[in-house]
Amino acid sequence: MMEYFDIHPEIKDAMQQLLPVVVIESTVWVHGLPEEYSIPALVECQKIIRQEGAIPAIVGISDGRIKIGLGAEDISAMIDRKRARKVNLRDIPQCIQKREDGATTVSATLFMAHRMGLPLVVTGGMGGVHRQAEKTFDISADLTTLATTPVALVTSGIKSILNIPATLEYMETAAIPVIGYRTDSFPTFYCSSSNLPVPERMDEVDEIAGILRIRQKIGMKQGVLIANPVPQEYSLGETFLEEVVEKSLFEAQEMEISGKDVTPFLLERLHTLTSGKTIQANIALLKENAALGARLAKYLYY
Ligand code: PSU
Ligand code: MN
């Protein structure tokens, strides 16, 4: 298996010494944020993780090699080469075979973390059941992968562009536990709250870590979603957000955007329609998730 992996020496060392490692996906930096924001935000997130006493491991595919522990300069180079595809779980082998660059989504990153024996992944907001999924069948592989991969995922809930109640139902069916960190209501990425309750609320990191440990010991195979709301001061108003989401969804339909292009398109439209407010929220929540991920990783061992 290691034939296709390049593991950064720092990560190798950390794993040998059982130091806390926080795995970070790469699609958000390459396709989810404009470059002028993404690289500084990534540098900031890495710094936060280190300050909290853990080691950041960005995962992606470069020239057909699976990389565990990319640097911000590698992501920047990947953006400049402009050929990084968005790699879902199913795309990994093809990306390797064609020696392409690939930015890994949550689904691909969960898989890689699990193969490495690393217990925790951080993102902004994971994918879910899309609105109108009953017609389009658009359900993110993030969900199906989390249902079958025992890794903890720190996210700010799911994106407001999705069908949130349907995604919560899906997670109940798939036996994915959803833990609200210091929140009673399920956060929806740009919004710190929704009218939907979280199935579990936990206020302390060691309590969450305890649950992860029990799950590992009794051999549960699902991942765990840890929902960490965007900080209040960056949270967008629900009505305003709904308005711009509806508008972007309409545009996507008109332009016949489908498949993996849907999410990046909608994020980009929202960034424009909110004059950058969603970018600020996105960056703020990524930093929060990096910090929480690092604090949590310190309680976990491989
Ligand atoms: N969170 C963000 N920005 C993003 C994403 C998440 O803040 O760009 C990406 C993640 O990589 C996630 C992907 O896995 O969107 C989901 O895409 P889709 O809906 O096509 O499965
Ligand atoms: Mn999709």
Side-chain angles (χ1 to χ4, degrees):
M1 162 196 155
M2 285 307 154
E3 190 183 340
Y4 299 108
F5 279 74
D6 289 334
I7 306 162
H8 194 284
E10 189 192 18
I11 309 296
K12 243 184 225 166
D13 266 12
M15 290 180 67
Q16 261 155 17
Q17 298 176 53
L18 301 186
L19 299 175
V21 174
V22 174
V23 174
I24 310 175
E25 58 128 330
S26 43
T27 295
V28 52
W29 314 109
V30 177
H31 300 292
L33 282 170
E35 185 180 4
E36 63 271 33
Y37 296 97
S38 106
I39 299 301
L42 172 56
V43 170
E44 196 63 27
C45 284
Q46 288 179 296
K47 205 165 105 194
I48 291 168
I49 289 170
R50 289 186 193 282
Q51 278 166 352
E52 292 286 348
I55 293 146
I58 302 162
V59 161
I61 301 177
S62 177
D63 267 325
R65 303 280 311 160
I66 299 176
K67 302 280 185 185
I68 310 291
L70 287 168
E73 55 304 336
D74 301 311
I75 295 289
S76 176
M78 205 187 273
I79 296 171
D80 291 342
R81 289 201 291 273
K82 288 194 193 319
R83 46 163 219 196
R85 56 150 126 179
K86 181 176 159 188
V87 171
N88 267 341
L89 181 58
R90 69 169 181 180
D91 307 319
I92 297 170
Q94 293 84 300
C95 191
I96 293 172
Q97 190 171 53
K98 292 185 178 142
R99 297 206 169 77
E100 290 177 347
D101 286 347
T104 51
T105 62
V106 166
S107 70
T109 308
L110 286 171
F111 169 79
M112 289 180 188
H114 182 53
R115 293 298 283 163
M116 297 294 302
L118 295 167
L120 183 108
V121 170
V122 159
T123 183
M126 74 158 182
V129 178
H130 281 256
R131 299 183 190 195
Q132 301 200 338
E134 67 277 17
K135 285 190 211 120
T136 61
F137 274 72
D138 191 348
I139 297 176
S140 176
D142 291 356
L143 274 187
T144 47
T145 309
L146 193 61
T148 52
T149 313
V151 170
L153 178 68
V154 179
T155 123
S156 297
I158 60 154
K159 300 183 198 77
S160 334
I161 54 176
L162 301 166
N163 183 335
I164 294 151
T167 306
L168 284 165
E169 287 295 346
Y170 186 102
M171 290 194 282
E172 186 177 340
T173 303
I176 300 169
V178 177
I179 299 171
Y181 179 65
R182 300 190 174 171
T183 180
D184 290 314
S185 98
F186 189 68
T188 63
F189 200 51
Y190 302 129
C191 259
S192 59
S193 63
S194 64
N195 50 11
L196 295 157
V198 283
E200 303 284 344
R201 173 187 171 133
M202 292 187 189
D203 288 3
E204 302 307 328
V205 171
D206 59 349
E207 197 184 353
I208 303 175
I211 292 295
L212 297 177
R213 200 167 304 123
I214 294 169
R215 295 183 62 85
Q216 189 206 13
K217 294 254 191 248
I218 66 176
M220 295 199 84
K221 301 291 181 222
Q222 303 81 8
V224 173
L225 189 148
I226 298 146
N228 186 29
V230 64
Q232 216 29 266
E233 61 273 32
Y234 291 98
S235 177
L236 274 86
E238 243 169 295
T239 335
F240 169 63
L241 190 58
E242 195 47 40
E243 234 167 74
V244 285
V245 166
E246 282 292 335
K247 193 166 162 25
S248 324
L249 284 167
F250 179 74
E251 288 177 8
Q253 223 169 4
E254 290 287 287
M255 293 173 69
E256 293 180 23
I257 302 214
S258 65
K260 57 166 70 172
D261 299 332
V262 172
T263 297
F265 174 84
L266 293 175
L267 293 182
E268 205 279 315
R269 285 308 292 145
L270 287 177
H271 294 161
T272 308
L273 292 171
T274 63
S275 348
K277 283 207 180 73
T278 56
I279 298 186
Q280 296 315 323
N282 205 338
I283 293 170
L285 64 85
L286 281 161
K287 289 194 215 164
E288 285 299 310
N289 294 347
L292 179 58
R295 291 201 291 273
L296 191 52
K298 282 191 284 186
Y299 283 92
L300 306 176
Y301 44 88
Y302 317 124

